[in-house]
């Protein structure tokens, strides 16, 4: 339903949302009461007859969205808490106006708006009161996710900062004009309330170019100004600033500035010349009466000092630091989705003139994305860390493009000219985009933006050739369909119908009918030609003159296929992006994540989205997703313990695929270390079915169990029939099982030979000396195998529905049954693991909105309670898949390792505080004991 068309329903929806509770997640009863009330209000006010069931679905779609709380590492040294009192003695007009705008104009879910209110309060409270006299500095980092709404977050923060009393707010918005322009437009709409291309201040005489928050009915004009505008060339200009003659300090002034030394230095010179006084100690001009607030969007890009340790800082880093040092009072908050470079900044790096580097020593805060965010986890999947969490299954939206070598090879030069026809995968992607546009129109999403991304090369000249090829193909499609009675039209429509029925119908079934209304082919077919005729093909790079003018087309919608490279790879939002065709492999985590423009919010058309890419890129994204999730979990756990950014050592897992975490010059203070299987769970999930490997592994288990029996008789678990040996020697485990076990070559992280080496290494140091070995059985199993005189019931592990099906391979999600991992712990260990699990779950919520209250200890906390001499090996006899031809059971293992003090096998890149964290932990614990 297009709410822009059905205005009565739109008004009823707003009324229903207003009737929902503001302090908690709405219950089904709350929704029912709100819908009933809204239907009555609509009837009384306008006589409109509202379909209560349709209204209920719309309200539920809003209220079903939730957002988990953020976590932070904070340092309150020298900081004076101020925000609670300021909530009562200051007027929060900018924020309240923006809050209404998010709710009523942007149609944002109430829970998400409340979350933005909460998290922006949390960040603002970390800053200093702008009215506090004297010298102070605060530096922080906010970590979000790519395309997750960071801009909306920092606009809310800027609004509250303006309300609090910050009179000069500078937003650094990327290194390209189009990103700076896009950010300025968002700030025009969400904070300023007027179009900065036509006026500089809200009360400008004779001007009436009000937009966004300034164009809402009944809203008062709030005094605010900007010295930059949303035009491509609207960056800071000293002449414009001088002519404007704005009185800094009387009301908030916002500037959106590109990260370029010239612009930043111009801004600093203008402010210090106008408001600076000479510092008697340094002779430099410093601004004492105006607190500065800097928001650094994409803070890992260009802001990082990449120079050698002993050299002068790089230009942009120097300019930002010099700007901050030119104010007696300043606050700096960096926003990024890829914080790897930021965490490798040396916290102690300083400069005589520029002051400290941009390490976020005041706070690091992570923001969870709302549940309706289409992010890396939902697109590529993520295995749960504990049984209290559910695995995140990937949505069925990825399609492979493996036919591009003859068109645009992976390695090519800037002068390369694609001579071959478009590959079939790109043709399928274009057809998918046409179908997505048509389906959205059928769903009432008519005057909306629709975008497709094509990113196959970094060279602008090659991009131009690709654009021409795609445009020629789109024109051919348009001409074919115009001739309704020609054979070309019939053939094309038949091809599109087959794609719809083969691909889109099945994908849509993965979603609920409320999220993805079912559509008939006839309805979609009727909108294909109108969709095709609106599609434009544009090259978006530093050479082409094309531009993505979403703003001018906001009333009718822009349908565009954007062909580009670097300019589409960071910060820039492609509105209504549904289909992405992405082939370019990047060598670093942060670059690859930032290129994922397909992440974001796709309300009402998630099922229509497609990502065409290669299996290699999909594997890379899955690996980055795991590494990033691990980093976030580290921050969240240290937040619970009350650590500061300087106390908490950050580490990022390195890639098994040869990628770097970030550019080498951004990791000069990062150090590679090899951590271990320490505290890890090593388990098999990939099983070869050919080459005699299943038979060899079963023979290995037979031999191993006979060797165990020769040493001692097992105890038998009466409930399951499992066989358990205790106090097993480490060499028996290493030589008897891991030396002989054959794993899948694709299982990069599970190498039996490395595990055996690890066991021997730790055993030489006195660790891993008393193994428990459990051969798991299930009494209710329909299949069993005799082993050392006992009948052991097989376990069933279905094939993972997210893994790529490969003949001769059986891939599962987990081999471990979670309850098995704690069976060898004593009562005190179990209780301690559960207590720690519950402590870390405080404040978290489940997907249904209820508080998390774990009933079982997490796998991680179980391993943390293990003594160094107390490892566990679980062995599973798994029923071979039907039709595989394998007669013996597949043998899987899960090895639960305690923390080790002696091993050095897993590689991470760690920051400077990581090396000092043992000292910091001891100091922290001493402080806690002293309280």
């Amino acid at each position: 339903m297009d709410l822009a068309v059905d205005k009565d329903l739109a008004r009823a929806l707003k009324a229903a949302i207003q009737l929902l509770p503001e302090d908690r997640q709405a219950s089904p009863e709350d929704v029912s009461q709100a819908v009933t009330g809204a239907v009555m209000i609509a009837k009384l006010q306008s006589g409109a007859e509202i379909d209560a069931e349709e209204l209920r679905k719309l309200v539920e779609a809003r209220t079903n969205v939730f957002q988990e709380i953020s976590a932070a590492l904070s340092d309150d040294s020298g900081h004076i808490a101020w925000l609670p009192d300021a909530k009562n003695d200051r007027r929060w007009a900018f924020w309240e106006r923006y809050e209404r705008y998010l709710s009523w104009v942007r149609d944002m879910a109430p829970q998400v708006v409340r979350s933005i209110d909460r998290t922006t309060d949390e960040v603002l409270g970390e800053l200093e009161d702008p009215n506090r006299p004297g010298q102070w500095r605060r530096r922080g980092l906010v970590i979000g996710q790519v395309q997750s709404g960071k801009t909306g977050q920092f606009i809310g923060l800027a609004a509250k900062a303006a309300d609090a009393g910050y009179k000069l707010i500078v937003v650094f918005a990327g290194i390209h004009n189009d990103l700076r322009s896009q950010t300025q437009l968002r700030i025009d709409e969400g904070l300023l309330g007027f179009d900065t291309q036509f006026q500089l201040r809200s009360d400008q005489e004779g001007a009436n170019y009000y937009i966004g928050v300034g164009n809402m009915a009944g809203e008062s004009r709030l005094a605010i100004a900007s010295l930059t505008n949303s035009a491509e060339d609207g960056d800071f200009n000293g002449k414009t600033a001088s002519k404007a003659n704005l009185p800094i300090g009387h009301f908030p002034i916002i500037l959106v500035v590109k990260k370029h030394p010239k612009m930043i230095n111009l801004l600093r010179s203008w402010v210090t010349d106008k408001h600076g006084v000479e510092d008697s100690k340094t002779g430099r001009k410093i601004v004492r009466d105006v607190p500065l607030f800097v928001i650094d969007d994409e803070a890992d890009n260009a802001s990082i000092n990449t120079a050698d340790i002993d050299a002068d800082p790089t230009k942009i880093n120097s300019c930002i630091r010099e700007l901050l040092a030119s104010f007696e009072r300043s606050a700096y908050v960096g926003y990024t989705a890829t914080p790897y470079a930021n965490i490798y900044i040396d916290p102690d790096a300083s400069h005589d003139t520029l002051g400290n580097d941009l390490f976020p020593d005041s706070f690091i805060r992570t923001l969870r994305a709302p549940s309706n965010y289409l992010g890396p986890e939902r697109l590529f999947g993520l295995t749960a860390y504990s049984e209290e969490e559910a695995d995140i299954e990937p949505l069925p939206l990825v399609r492979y493009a493996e036919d591009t070598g003859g068109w645009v090879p992976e390695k090519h030069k800037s002068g390369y000219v694609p001579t071959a026809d478009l590959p079939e995968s790109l043709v399928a992607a274009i057809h998918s985009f046409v179908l997505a546009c048509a389906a959205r129109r059928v769903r009432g999403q008519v005057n909306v933006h629709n975008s497709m991304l094509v990113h196959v090369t970094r060279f602008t000249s090659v991009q131009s050739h690709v654009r021409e090829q795609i445009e020629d193909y789109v024109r051919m499609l348009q001409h074919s369909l115009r001739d309704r009675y020609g054979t070309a039209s019939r053939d094309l429509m038949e091809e599109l119908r087959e794609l719809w029925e083969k691909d889109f119908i099945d994908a849509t079934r993965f979603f609920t009918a409320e999220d993805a209304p079912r559509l008939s082919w006839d309805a979609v077919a009727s909108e294909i030609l109108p969709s095709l005729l609106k599609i434009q093909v544009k090259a978006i790079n530093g050479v082409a003159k094309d531009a993505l003018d979403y703003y001018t087309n906001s009333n009718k919608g822009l349908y565009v296929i954007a062909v580009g490279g670097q300019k589409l790879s960071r910060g820039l939002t492609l509105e209504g992006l549904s289909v992405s065709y992405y082939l370019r492999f990047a060598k670093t985590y942060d670059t690859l994540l930032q290129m994922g423009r397909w992440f974001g919010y796709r309300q009402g058309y998630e099922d229509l989205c497609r990502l065409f890419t290669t299996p290699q890129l999909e594997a890379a994204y899955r690996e980055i997703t795991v590494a990033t999730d691990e980093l976030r979990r580290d921050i969240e756990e240290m937040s619970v313990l009350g650590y500061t950014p300087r106390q908490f050592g950050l580490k990022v897992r390195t890639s098994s695929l040869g990628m770097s975490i970030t550019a080498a010059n951004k990791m000069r203070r990062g150090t590679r270390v090899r951590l271990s299987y320490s505290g890890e769970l090593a388990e098999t999930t990939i099983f070869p079915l050919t080459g005699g490997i299943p038979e060899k592994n079963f023979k290995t288990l037979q031999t191993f169990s006979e060797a165990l029996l020769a040493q001692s008789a097992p105890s038998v678990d009466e409930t399951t029939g499992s066989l358990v040996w205790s106090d097993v020697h480490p060499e028996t485990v290493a030589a008897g099982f891991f030396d002989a076990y054959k794993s899948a070559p694709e299982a990069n992280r599970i190498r039996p030979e490395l595990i055996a080496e690890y066991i021997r290494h730790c055993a030489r140091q006195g660790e891993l000396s008393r193994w428990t070995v459990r051969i798991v059985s299930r009494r209710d199993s329909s299949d069993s195998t005799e082993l050392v005189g006992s009948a052991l019931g097989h376990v069933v592990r279905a094939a993972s529905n997210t893994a790529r099906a490969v003949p001769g391979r059986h891939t599962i999600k987990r081999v471990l049954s979670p309850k098995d991992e704690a069976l060898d712990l004593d009562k005190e260990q179990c209780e301690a693991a559960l207590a720690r699990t519950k402590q870390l779950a405080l404040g978290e919520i489940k997907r249904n909105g209820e508080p998390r209250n774990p009933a079982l200890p997490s796998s991680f906390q179980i391993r943390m309670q293990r003594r160094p001499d107390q490892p566990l090996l679980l062995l599973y006899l798994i029923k071979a898949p039907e039709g595989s031809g394998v007669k013996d059971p597949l043998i899987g293992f899960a090895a639960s390792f305690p923390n080790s003090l002696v091993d050095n096998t897993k590689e991470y890149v760690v920051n400077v505080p990581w090396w000092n964290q043992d000292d910091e932990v001891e100091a922290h614990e001493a402080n806690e004991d002293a309280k």
Side-chain angles (χ1 to χ4, degrees), residues 380 398-402 580 582-583 611-615 617-618:
F380 301 108
V398 177
R399 304 291 180 269
Y400 291 128
E402 300 181 273
S580 299
Y582 179 71
L583 303 180
L611 168 59
F612 288 79
T613 191
T614 66
L617 277 164
E618 182 187 39

Side-chain angles (χ1 to χ4, degrees), residues 394-467:
L395 298 173
L397 307 179
V398 177
R399 304 291 180 269
Y400 291 128
E402 300 181 273
D403 56 352
T404 61
W407 175 59
V408 178
E410 182 179 349
K411 295 182 179 180
H412 58 273
K413 297 182 178 180
S414 60
Y416 178 77
V417 178
T419 55
D421 293 334
L422 296 180
E424 288 299 316
S425 58
L426 180 51
V427 170
I430 295 170
H431 289 183
S432 297
F433 180 57
V434 173
L435 290 172
C437 294
R440 292 192 71 190
R441 292 173 69 91
V442 175
R443 288 177 179 170
Q445 301 166 10
V446 178
N447 297 320
V448 297
H449 300 308
N450 284 288
S451 300
M452 174 178 172
L453 164 68
V454 178
H455 188 166
V456 299
T457 175
R458 67 186 178 92
F459 299 116
T460 57
S461 59
V462 183
Q463 292 167 20
S464 297
H465 291 301
V466 172
R467 187 204 68 79

